[in-house]
Amino acid sequence: MKLARYGEPGHERPALIDAEGKLRELSAHIADIACSTLLPDTLSRLRALDPDSLPRVPGTPRYGPCVGRVGKIVCVGLNYRDHAAESNMPVPTEPVLFLKPSSAICGPDDDIEIPPGSEKTDWEIELGVVIGKPAKYVKPEQALDHVAGYCVVNDVSERAYQLERNGQWDKGKGCDTFAPIGPWLVTRDEIDDVQNLDMFLDIDGKRYQTGNTRTMVFDVPTLVSYISQFMSLQPGDIISTGTPPGVGFGMKPPQYLKAGQTLRLGIAGLGVQQQRTVQVAP
């Protein structure tokens, strides 16, 4: 089952994607795709609906973030060996964690804002894991029971803020629009093997990132279990699981985003995002 949210920012409505890829209105059944909607019982109830019985959404509305009212985004750094190498950092022996604020979330096709004075805004295609059942001190073999589904995340990063401005990574990760999410939340039952999903990211038609989730250092069950030892995970929380190689920071010489560029990125089975970069005036 593919779930989406559509409409203007702050006024998104819930929808289901039918077999033809069309939006079907879900407002008669749920208020939003958020929080308790992601519990297993609610997802089972939605799965039982006949998509043809739901009203079609007319036109081509904006896709919003595929999850609403996200409590937190827990990000995993250096979770692909090749990306650690291009970053000149050691492969971690335990997951590297940092938090991305929910205020960074935007729709999958919304503009990415380059902050005033930024010269090192970078891109990162990542698999997002959406929590569907509260997770606290869970074991790896039970971890996937707590996952509602998966989505595409672009972990946009300002490298100077992240690495040159002292302190934690968060200040380079949390600017507005630095977390495009979607276009869909694909429920866990639709993905045969989450550790074998192809990923890509293009800028202005040129391929920069190509990867597959099988090369993660720490797989999804390990990450869900590990994070749950340090903080409880709640329905609607998102784990952004790291990026394969090909980011601007790792190139020789480094390359960064400029205003007027177009990013296109996707993960097999989870859809494609497309964003335009815009400069924010000082």
Side-chain angles (χ1 to χ4, degrees), residues 83 86-87 98 118-124 155-165 169 172-173 178 243 247-250 255-256:
H83 174 55
E86 73 175 353
S87 301
F98 59 93
S118 166
E119 296 182 352
K120 296 183 179 181
T121 297
D122 205 347
W123 57 86
E124 296 188 17
D155 175 21
V156 185
S157 309
E158 212 299 341
R159 301 302 187 186
Y161 300 176
Q162 176 189 356
L163 301 170
E164 302 170 20
R165 298 285 295 272
W169 285 5
K173 298 284 188 171
F178 271 25
T243 196
V247 301
F249 172 68
Q255 298 184 35
Y256 297 109

Side-chain angles (χ1 to χ4, degrees), residues 70 72-80 95-100 124-131 150-157 173 178-181 199 216 218 220 223-224 227 233 237-243 267 273:
V70 175
K72 56 184 174 289
I73 307 172
V74 185
C75 298
V76 184
L78 306 174
N79 197 32
Y80 289 72
V96 174
L97 304 182
F98 59 93
L99 294 175
K100 206 172 180 85
E124 296 188 17
I125 170 81
E126 304 204 0
L127 170 72
V129 177
V130 181
I131 299 300
Y150 307 102
C151 64
V152 180
V153 177
N154 189 353
D155 175 21
V156 185
S157 309
K173 298 284 188 171
F178 271 25
I181 292 172
M199 317 164 71
M216 284 182 180
F218 305 103
V220 171
L223 292 175
V224 174
I227 294 167
L233 293 167
D237 286 349
I238 296 173
I239 301 171
S240 196
T241 58
T243 196
I267 300 177
Q273 301 183 354

